[in-house]
Amino acid sequence: MSIASAAAACPAAASCSRQTVGASSGPHAWRPWPAKPAAAGSGSSGSRGATRCQASGKSDVGRLLRDALNQPAQGTNLSYLSAANFLRGLGMDNQAELNRVLDIAMNPNSLFTSKNRKQPTNPHARRLDVEADLKPLLAFLTDTAGFSQEQVVKLIQAHPALLSYRVEERLQPFFAYLTGPAPEGLALSAQQAAEVVERRPTILGVEVDGLRRMVGFLLESGSSMEEVVEMMATSL
């Protein structure tokens, strides 16, 4: 096979031909590779050039495909970076811990949750925005629920899905039930409610309606309110 025919058969012929065939003149002209003696029984140098060209083309295509598959969507990547910087500002510096927390909060198929059968996949996981999601969450937990910033970090580490909970839809109704007057609420003080959540952060993952039914059942079964609150903080 000639060099010209090898170039025509190879998708990367243009680049390969520049290495195997030199231009006739000019100070910046491509120079041909020095010819090497062909071994007895081997093909021509053109055949070797074509083979080299085909291998290079396949390698380039494979690399591009791998890069495309491994590269996250730009918007998601920026969300991760912004959220990570926000959490660092709260004092969460460990990169491995940041990766775990944000993957659970933002990835519905996080392996960090699916590997642990006691911690189901987070159905609230979504792309988070610092201004629209994280700052309002922090403001509610510190200004309304009464947690310190250090306590908030511990809550997030113990229950990363907290980051994906919307304040108006989930957290406000939850704390309103804990602190609301009986019989609609549990009539806990803000400090008591905060202590329950601090002792068992995963209680925030319980839907308010489900929590109300469980509490009602326990009270009807003869448990005192003090016993119910203790169960909420430990095993409910």
Side-chain angles (χ1 to χ4, degrees):
M1 177 185 284
S2 67
I3 300 297
S5 59
C10 177
S15 62
C16 286
S17 61
R18 288 197 300 269
Q19 295 179 338
T20 55
V21 180
S24 59
S25 62
H28 302 291
W30 289 94
R31 303 303 180 193
W33 287 342
K36 294 183 179 179
S42 63
S44 67
S45 60
S47 297
R48 290 197 303 273
T51 302
R52 219 170 17 243
C53 181
Q54 292 169 353
S56 175
K58 291 180 181 179
S59 176
D60 290 344
V61 171
R63 177 178 56 78
L64 291 173
L65 287 174
R66 286 193 300 272
D67 290 347
L69 291 173
N70 292 329
Q71 178 65 34
Q74 184 178 12
T76 302
N77 192 37
L78 291 176
S79 296
Y80 269 89
L81 292 174
S82 298
N85 287 334
F86 179 80
L87 294 179
R88 286 192 187 95
L90 300 182
M92 194 181 300
D93 296 325
N94 186 281
Q95 186 61 51
E97 183 68 357
L98 285 170
N99 292 341
R100 181 187 70 87
V101 165
L102 290 176
D103 195 66
I104 293 173
M106 301 176 68
N107 181 6
N109 301 311
S110 173
L111 294 178
F112 289 104
T113 54
S114 61
K115 285 183 178 179
N116 185 354
R117 295 185 179 181
K118 293 184 179 180
Q119 188 177 15
T121 301
N122 176 21
H124 303 275
R126 57 195 170 85
R127 184 184 300 180
L128 298 175
D129 182 84
V130 171
E131 297 296 329
D133 300 307
L134 300 184
K135 286 186 177 180
L137 175 72
L138 177 64
F140 176 83
L141 292 174
T142 54
D143 299 341
T144 303
F147 295 103
S148 67
Q149 185 169 296
E150 182 180 356
Q151 288 174 318
V152 170
V153 171
K154 292 180 179 179
L155 292 179
I156 293 170
Q157 291 175 316
H159 188 54
L162 170 61
L163 289 175
S164 60
Y165 295 163
R166 289 182 169 88
V167 173
E168 296 81 5
E169 297 177 9
R170 188 175 186 88
L171 295 181
Q172 282 182 348
F174 183 88
F175 281 92
Y177 172 66
L178 295 185
T179 59
E184 292 80 9
L186 300 184
L188 302 179
S189 67
Q191 182 178 353
Q192 288 175 315
E195 288 176 354
V196 168
V197 173
E198 186 177 14
R199 291 176 63 188
R200 186 166 177 252
T202 54
I203 192 71
L204 293 170
V206 180
E207 297 289 344
V208 173
D209 289 341
L211 182 60
R212 184 180 288 109
R213 288 193 295 269
M214 287 188 283
V215 169
F217 173 79
L218 292 172
L219 291 175
E220 291 175 2
S221 300
S223 298
S224 66
M225 179 58 70
E226 290 76 13
E227 292 172 330
V228 171
V229 172
E230 180 63 21
M231 282 188 279
M232 289 176 56
T234 55
S235 60
L236 191 60

